[in-house]
Amino acid sequence: MATILDGKAHADRMLEVVRQGVEARMARGLRAPALAVVLVGDDPASHVYVRNKAAACAKVGITSLEHRLGADTPQAELDALIDRLNADPAVDGILVQLPLPKGLDSKEALHRISPAKDVDGFHPMNQGLLLEGLPGLRPCTPTACMSLLAHHGVDLKGLRAVVLGRSEIVGKPMALMLLEQHATVTIAHSRTKDLAAVCREADLLVAAVGRPGLVEGSWIKPGAVVVDVGINRVEDPGLAARIFAGEPKKLEAFQAKGAVLCGDVRFGEAMDVASAVTPVPGGVGPLTIAGLLTNTLQAANQQG
Ligand code: NAD
């Protein structure tokens, strides 16, 4: 049986480091770091994420400033708000919650955020610094995954790593961070031929695809470390029966509730083959917010 890599426990460790960092700033007479969150429209999942972020900020002493705009907000109004937050010396970090409602250009908004306040690490300047291996604000999810792997003593030097997914948010930056730590990295995606065979080469497999249970146990090299970034809601009984066959408790939960969250990896099957696996929920999910608050503290300290 594989070891379960507990993301919640590691997120708590990361948040404790942030809490101490905030305390140290305040002991030097500086104000608490402040994170401005811009929420446009009424996507229910986004509202939940924003609530969770505010709760985590409160735990570590970061000031959370929420800006809510209606779904019909014109781009110019969103841009003007970002400009105001960029210029506001009382704001250290700015996060525009994605997805934005139809009609708004998320790239335009993200590129407008000052790189010094870009706590999501999505601005081209910060992505460029990452590409060059220079310090900057880095995307939260892959940064936190790297921290989890380091905590569990996974030696990445020379390791064959496969990253499934090539998004700017997870896949690409994750691949760069693994490369920086001297792993031999393959990025696989929707057009990759014989995905199963590519995955089977991986000593470290990172799945960031958004397809429930895509990665079967037979895709995993025995003894591999598996990091499952995917968060998917499964409502289809046929799919649930297939992907949770090796996970009776999950199947029971599905039958009781009619829907469950799961990752891109078939957790039950992975547990029989891998040496370590992150669960969903309770793996990478809680780490992302911890990464965000780590970035907010870093942004505040760099701005004085
Ligand atoms: P995305 O949709 O932007 O990218 C998905 C990637 O997967 C694409 O590069 C695509 O090429 C690849 N892909 C799609 N179908 C595939 C297939 N059948 N085979 C191989 N590759 C395929 O998604 P994203 O923003 O990178 O997010 C990926 C998943 O991670 C989602 O489930 C998302 O909810 C989750 N996520 C979780 C966290 C967290 O905090 N745990 C953070 C970000 C994203």
Side-chain angles (χ1 to χ4, degrees):
M1 281 294 257
T3 304
I4 295 179
L5 301 177
D6 185 342
K8 172 77 178 64
H10 191 60
D12 287 345
R13 282 189 286 273
M14 289 175 72
L15 288 173
E16 178 53 21
V17 172
V18 175
R19 198 193 59 75
Q20 288 174 13
V22 172
E23 221 171 63
R25 263 178 74 81
M26 297 182 75
R28 295 200 303 275
L30 298 167
R31 62 162 172 74
L35 171 65
V37 176
V38 179
L39 180 57
V40 192
D42 31 46
D43 177 60
S46 294
H47 278 258
V48 174
Y49 293 141
V50 167
R51 238 194 349 263
N52 291 346
K53 281 166 191 167
C57 281
K59 257 199 209 161
V60 298
I62 289 179
T63 307
S64 167
L65 310 161
E66 263 175 49
H67 295 266
R68 290 175 186 241
L69 300 175
D72 54 357
T73 300
Q75 184 82 37
E77 198 179 313
L78 173 61
D79 291 351
L81 172 60
I82 295 171
D83 291 347
R84 278 203 305 284
L85 296 172
N86 281 339
D88 186 344
V91 170
D92 301 299
I94 304 169
L95 178 148
V96 175
Q97 183 66 46
L98 301 178
L100 289 175
K102 271 203 187 92
L104 289 175
D105 182 342
S106 54
K107 281 254 182 229
E108 185 179 330
L110 297 178
H111 290 194
R112 207 168 182 99
I113 295 173
S114 156
K117 298 189 178 187
D118 168 40
V119 283
D120 256 338
F122 296 159
H123 190 282
M125 166 72 96
N126 283 317
Q127 299 257 9
L129 289 171
L130 169 61
L131 189 72
E132 290 199 355
L134 294 171
L137 291 165
R138 294 182 166 194
C140 308
T141 304
T143 301
C145 289
M146 294 299 284
S147 169
L148 179 75
L149 292 171
H151 176 80
H152 287 280
V154 178
D155 183 7
L156 297 169
K157 228 171 287 151
L159 212 70
R160 289 298 300 262
V162 172
V163 178
L164 253 178
R166 55 177 163 180
S167 73
E168 258 104 63
I169 294 173
V170 190
K172 282 185 201 169
M174 185 78 214
L176 288 171
M177 289 179 201
L178 290 168
L179 194 60
E180 188 179 41
Q181 295 301 316
H182 316 293
T184 301
V185 184
T186 300
I187 305 179
H189 47 79
S190 51
R191 309 284 175 89
T192 298
K193 287 189 182 137
D194 202 352
L195 204 54
V198 173
C199 291
R200 262 194 300 273
E201 288 183 2
D203 301 309
L204 168 67
L205 180 60
V206 180
V209 176
R211 298 277 180 275
L214 174 75
V215 178
E216 300 173 23
S218 64
W219 294 25
I220 298 169
K221 182 176 176 178
V225 173
V226 178
V227 175
D228 190 354
V229 182
I231 302 180
N232 312 292
R233 188 178 157 85
V234 175
E235 295 175 352
D236 171 6
L239 178 66
R242 253 192 341 272
I243 66 177
F244 303 139
E247 240 184 311
K249 277 200 182 136
K250 193 84 151 187
L251 200 51
E252 265 172 42
F254 177 83
Q255 278 151 359
K257 296 187 213 154
V260 284
L261 287 185
C262 76
D264 294 337
V265 177
R266 299 187 187 189
F267 181 75
E269 297 178 21
M271 284 296 287
D272 290 337
V273 192
S275 63
V277 187
T278 60
V280 179
V284 177
L287 291 171
T288 297
I289 290 186
L292 172 72
L293 301 195
T294 304
N295 276 355
T296 305
L297 175 64
Q298 182 185 327
N301 285 344
Q302 276 163 4
Q303 287 165 68

